[in-house]
Amino acid sequence: GVPYADGSAYETIGDCRQAVIECFVNNGSHYVISAEHAKRNLNITMCSTYKKPVLPSYLVRYVDSWRKQNPTWELRFYDDSTCLEFVKKEFPEYYDAYVGLPKDVERADFFRYMVLLRLGGTYADIDTECRVPLDDILLPTDTLVLGWENEFPTEAKAVKRHYVRTKQILQWVAVAAPGHPALRAVCDFINEHAHSRFSNNTNRDTLERTGPGAWTDVMLRFARDMLPVQERWGRKRADD
């Protein structure tokens, strides 16, 4: 990655709507996946992407918010060409799927999962604002930190608002330890389904193939599988 043209750095999770931050596996006020499931805990790297190497002026204030709130974190910025180089070098097994995706936005989705898988730290969309320091939010034991994007009582209401899940996890900001198996799982899913059709609507296909549909399904499946039986179902059977 290369720094922003103006030398600025950015950060993560200022406004996750009602969801502040949630991880998995109950640990007091946070849900956390224990460190044994990642190579190491969170590092102080932040990544973001934009299609060109120089940012337009209206995005600079967002970048500045990350730098001001998290001055000790390292910033890495990737444009389309450096994204391609990164995937070719770090994930040759995903390269064909990456370049074969039908839309740039799908490649942007796929890249964020790969860069977190390899480097760990924080990913944030270039137009997100950081309102609180990451170090004030993250716990030493955190290895995957995510937020709820929205929740709806019915699928129809979710679809009306252009969501693909009634309970949807956002993927415009995420914090993870490098090598986290949930990230590997979502990358494997996209690699397998890069040319799959999920509907007759291309926008819906994008959300299901690489976007919050795929992301939410994999993350919640991983969280469910990680939770002890009594936390998943409320209590154990008497003969367990």
Side-chain angles (χ1 to χ4, degrees), residues 3-9 53-57 59-61 63-64 67 75:
Y4 286 112
D6 66 355
S8 52
V54 178
L55 292 177
S57 58
L59 290 175
V60 172
R61 73 179 184 90
V63 173
D64 286 344
R67 182 187 66 246
L75 170 70

Side-chain angles (χ1 to χ4, degrees), residues 1 21 50 67 87 91 139 147 154 172 181 183 212 240:
I21 289 188
Y50 189 67
R67 182 187 66 246
V87 176
F91 293 100
L139 299 177
T154 66
W172 35 267
L183 294 171
D240 282 349

Side-chain angles (χ1 to χ4, degrees), residues 53-174:
V54 178
L55 292 177
S57 58
Y58 76 92
L59 290 175
V60 172
R61 73 179 184 90
Y62 297 111
V63 173
D64 286 344
S65 74
W66 292 102
R67 182 187 66 246
K68 291 174 182 177
Q69 293 287 357
N70 306 276
T72 63
W73 284 62
E74 174 192 1
L75 170 70
R76 294 182 178 224
F77 171 76
Y78 298 85
D79 61 21
D80 285 356
S81 63
T82 51
C83 285
L84 189 66
E85 293 170 8
F86 179 92
V87 176
K88 185 182 296 185
K89 177 183 177 182
E90 300 292 341
F91 293 100
E93 69 271 31
Y94 297 146
Y95 181 79
D96 288 345
Y98 178 77
V99 298
L101 287 167
K103 299 180 184 179
D104 288 342
V105 67
E106 295 178 13
R107 277 182 284 278
D109 286 337
F110 199 3
F111 179 81
R112 74 189 63 188
Y113 311 143
M114 287 188 276
V115 77
L116 277 179
L117 175 60
R118 178 64 74 234
L119 300 179
T122 298
Y123 169 85
D125 277 0
I126 200 68
D127 58 353
T128 57
E129 179 182 8
C130 183
R131 296 184 179 179
V132 293
L134 288 175
D135 292 338
D136 290 354
I137 297 173
L138 300 175
L139 299 177
T141 53
D142 286 348
T143 61
L144 182 62
V145 183
L146 307 173
W148 290 112
E149 187 164 29
N150 219 326
E151 182 174 352
F152 300 91
T154 66
E155 183 177 355
K157 290 187 177 182
V159 171
K160 186 176 181 180
R161 293 279 305 279
H162 305 290
Y163 288 82
V164 289
R165 298 293 181 270
T166 55
K167 294 182 178 180
Q168 187 163 297
I169 296 176
L170 61 89
Q171 33 92 275
W172 35 267
V173 173

